[in-house]
Amino acid sequence: MAKRNSDKIVLSYNDCLIRASDLALLQGPHWLNDVIIGFYFEHLDVKFNKNENKELYFISPELTQLMKMTDPSEYSVLLDPADMLESKCIFFPLNNCNSRDTAGGSHWSLLVYCKRDKTCYHFDSSKGYNNSIASKFAKNLMNFLLDKNEPSKKFLESDCPQQDNAYDCGIYVLCLTDIVTENAIKTGRVDGCDCSKAKNLVPTKRTELLHLINELKRKSSVTE
């Protein structure tokens, strides 16, 4: 408890609490945890969904993990399928953790469901690492959202740049989310994204996140 009390809260942002230990992950070559990824997804939700209708649906790492470990017959308890089907795209940060109740794992990848072509696209910066997890989850997800006998639903492994270290998978997820989001806003689709741009975005993403957190912290202190 004492250790947790000393880990001070840096920013409270909607449903996210960022602590000093979370912020430290952005200040060096560290693996990103669910708090930082969840914060960024929350930020994107605020940025792109200005009204009650979610054009783009950003699912938190915690909820993604819970869905991944839950029978799809129970998904309706967690999410409203009608709301999800109104969205152009739904974004899921996937982790290879095999526990329903705890954070962890060692690798992040991105799964995106596209309403227009009834397809789940999987982006993995360490190709093949999360393939079986993603394909199983995608099947469950599409069976939940669509008729089980829907002939056109698909799961595709998408080409994307590959990480050259053991810790940048979460950064790649965020950069690829930016790229897919931009394309989805313009076209309503996932295919056609220039994922090669992620390689150039990755080196500066940690600094960008630190600036974002500091700016939101500054704004919150002004309004208090």
Side-chain angles (χ1 to χ4, degrees):
M1 179 64 73
K3 183 178 179 181
R4 190 63 173 171
N5 289 340
S6 66
D7 192 8
K8 68 175 183 178
I9 295 173
V10 175
L11 176 68
S12 176
Y13 180 73
N14 292 354
D15 295 330
C16 298
L17 279 181
I18 298 179
R19 295 182 179 272
S21 59
D22 303 315
L23 200 66
L25 299 177
L26 296 172
Q27 297 168 331
H30 304 298
W31 187 85
L32 294 194
N33 63 6
D34 56 317
V35 174
I36 295 297
I37 292 176
F39 156 74
Y40 194 65
F41 269 43
E42 185 80 25
H43 167 69
L44 293 178
D45 180 65
V46 171
K47 179 179 179 180
F48 291 108
N49 298 315
K50 301 295 185 182
N51 50 45
E52 292 184 2
N53 296 324
K54 290 180 179 289
E55 280 198 85
L56 302 175
Y57 214 119
F58 300 96
I59 307 296
S60 72
E62 295 86 355
L63 184 52
T64 297
Q65 180 66 11
L66 183 57
M67 292 178 69
K68 193 186 82 181
M69 304 300 293
T70 299
D71 189 277
S73 64
E74 299 178 39
Y75 283 1
S76 57
V77 177
L78 305 174
L79 288 167
D80 186 339
D83 285 346
M84 296 177 75
L85 283 171
E86 288 179 0
S87 302
K88 293 178 180 178
C89 294
I90 310 171
F91 295 77
F92 299 88
L94 275 180
N95 193 284
N96 64 337
C97 177
N98 60 7
S99 170
R100 178 187 172 106
D101 303 313
T102 60
S106 61
H107 185 62
W108 293 103
S109 59
L110 176 67
L111 186 75
V112 186
Y113 171 75
C114 179
K115 173 185 175 181
R116 187 167 178 174
D117 52 16
K118 299 175 183 175
T119 298
C120 277
Y121 296 86
H122 185 224
F123 301 86
D124 193 340
S125 60
S126 186
K127 198 161 188 177
Y129 207 98
N130 277 359
N131 177 271
S132 61
I133 294 169
S135 60
K136 180 181 177 181
F137 180 56
K139 180 181 178 180
N140 288 343
L141 178 66
M142 288 188 287
N143 283 343
F144 169 66
L145 293 174
L146 306 169
D147 186 283
K148 288 186 178 181
N149 297 318
E150 171 65 56
S152 60
K153 58 188 177 185
K154 294 179 291 185
F155 169 78
L156 295 176
E157 281 285 349
S158 300
D159 288 331
C160 66
Q162 300 293 284
Q163 63 192 86
D164 52 13
N165 55 51
Y167 51 80
D168 268 342
C169 53
I171 293 292
Y172 270 92
V173 164
L174 302 188
C175 292
L176 288 164
T177 298
D178 288 339
I179 292 167
V180 176
T181 295
E182 181 182 2
N183 194 69
I185 288 290
K186 290 179 180 177
T187 68
R189 304 179 69 96
V190 173
D191 62 327
C193 292
D194 183 7
C195 291
S196 65
K197 294 188 294 184
K199 202 73 174 177
N200 294 326
L201 298 176
V202 164
T204 59
K205 194 63 176 178
R206 293 176 190 269
T207 301
E208 177 190 319
L209 288 166
L210 286 169
H211 288 164
L212 174 62
I213 290 168
N214 286 331
E215 179 62 16
L216 291 171
K217 183 180 177 182
R218 184 191 66 79
K219 288 181 179 179
S220 66
S221 65
V222 169
T223 57
E224 288 176 355

